Amino acid sequence: MNLQEMFQLQRILDERIETEHELLNEDLFDKKVLALLVEVGELANETRCFKFWSEKAASPKEVILEEFVDGLHFILSLGIVLKFHDYVNDIPLAGEIGEMDATAKFIEVFAQIQALQQKKSEAAYWKLYQSYYELGKILGFTPEEVEAAYLAKNQVNHKRQDEGY
């Protein structure tokens, strides 16, 4: 996964949105945190991993992947706001993730988002990134699938801006 390229594409999208919506002088950090929390909730809802009371199957993989990259957009955007994107080469990512199930990993991701919101530290940011990456692995996504889906959704987001979304 070319994280540097994804940061660059996210920066371009963020700058476009902030310019076109006259938000260049706004502090959008907390709004982006809330947006990320909402996106992760939507992702959990599509996986249905926590719905022990229901027999309905999870959404198709492509729907779950799209929700996953929606969250990734905001994680990258938060890294840009905090200026942690300039120091990326190859972030070491965990190999084996053990026996953690999706529900437990979602809870961990939510906790990492809150920790980042409170600390705004580089360590908290990369811990969130790592947890989210591991969530993607638990959901069955390869880094290549995530990158391709991110690139496709980034184009969709630009098109939405073209259309006055």
Side-chain angles (χ1 to χ4, degrees), residues 4-62:
Q4 192 66 47
E5 178 186 3
M6 292 192 310
F7 269 123
Q8 173 140 354
L9 291 171
Q10 188 63 46
R11 184 186 51 76
I12 292 166
L13 178 62
D14 287 355
E15 287 175 0
R16 177 182 181 182
I17 291 168
E18 290 169 24
T19 299
E20 291 178 7
H21 294 270
E22 300 178 3
L23 299 168
L24 289 172
N25 296 319
E26 298 287 323
D27 179 359
L28 300 174
F29 183 81
D30 284 342
K31 290 182 181 192
K32 290 180 180 190
V33 167
L34 180 56
L36 176 56
L37 288 165
V38 169
E39 292 298 342
V40 174
E42 290 176 1
L43 173 61
N45 199 47
E46 294 297 339
T47 70
R48 303 183 60 79
C49 66
F50 64 96
K51 294 189 175 189
F52 58 88
W53 61 88
S54 177
E55 294 182 19
K56 184 177 175 186
S59 294
K61 184 178 181 177
E62 58 273 6

Side-chain angles (χ1 to χ4, degrees), residues 109-138:
V109 167
F110 278 114
Q112 296 303 334
I113 295 168
Q114 185 168 2
L116 177 65
Q117 194 274 330
Q118 293 172 351
K119 297 176 186 175
K120 295 182 175 84
S121 71
E122 189 171 3
Y125 177 77
W126 290 114
K127 198 165 185 181
L128 166 60
Y129 180 86
Q130 180 72 33
S131 293
Y132 201 70
Y133 176 85
E134 292 169 356
L135 175 61
K137 285 181 76 171
I138 289 170

